[in-house]
Amino acid sequence: MITTTITHDKVNGTVARLSDSHRWVGSTLERHGFTWSRAHQAYALPGTRTWAFDPYRVGRATRQLRRNGFTVRVDVDNTTPEADPIADELDRLLDIAYTAQHLGAAYQSDQRDHADKITEQHRTQIQGAVTAACDRLDRLAQRLGWDLPEILHINFVLNDAWVAVGLPPF
């Protein structure tokens, strides 16, 4: 028998893990707002990480699954953690992205006003800094998923920096 375990906490949000793969259970969860999360390797409700557990939204999915003979277990932890490592990492990366964006704007200004003073080493260092920030975003997005609004915003800011320092758009 397939068991679906739905957990909720303020770090991961609402996540549904299946004991075994089943197409009908997955489609039922998707019908009730869950999406597949590569970061969790499970179904997750988007936007629930910072909110309290929503028993009505999850209740509809659990009733449907139980009505069709599937076992569903729900674990809820609404306590606010001392530190949120995901939010902290997103804040650090957003700071880096804005710094890279300012660096790109300064580089463009220098290119416009003092093009003769920019060396190849200077250009390589600036592009390396922006590339390192993009790599860090990619590693974080692989863990959390590209569908988070914060990840999309950081990606937008870093794309501006990327183009401003003379790298081809991605």
Side-chain angles (χ1 to χ4, degrees), residues 77-151:
D77 179 10
N78 276 329
T79 59
T80 303
E82 289 292 320
D84 187 348
I86 294 170
D88 293 344
E89 181 63 23
L90 286 169
D91 287 344
R92 279 192 295 276
L93 193 53
L94 187 60
D95 289 342
I96 291 170
Y98 281 129
T99 302
Q101 189 180 42
H102 291 299
L103 183 66
Y107 178 74
Q108 279 189 334
S109 176
D110 285 349
Q111 236 181 354
R112 187 178 54 248
D113 299 336
H114 311 290
D116 56 327
K117 295 182 183 176
I118 297 175
T119 65
E120 182 64 27
Q121 180 185 7
H122 182 73
R123 185 180 65 77
T124 305
Q125 285 176 341
I126 290 173
Q127 288 178 345
V130 173
T131 302
C134 290
D135 291 343
R136 190 168 174 177
L137 171 67
D138 189 50
R139 285 192 305 273
L140 186 62
Q142 292 300 323
R143 264 185 29 224
L144 303 178
W146 283 96
D147 55 343
L148 279 178
E150 296 94 339
I151 294 285

Side-chain angles (χ1 to χ4, degrees), residues 156-168:
F156 177 77
V157 172
L158 281 176
N159 194 24
D160 280 352
W162 182 273
V163 172
V165 297
L167 294 167

Side-chain angles (χ1 to χ4, degrees), residues 3-7 62 66 71-75:
T3 300
T4 304
T5 304
I6 299 174
T7 59
T62 58
R66 286 177 179 151
T71 306
V72 180
R73 202 176 104 227
V74 179
D75 294 325

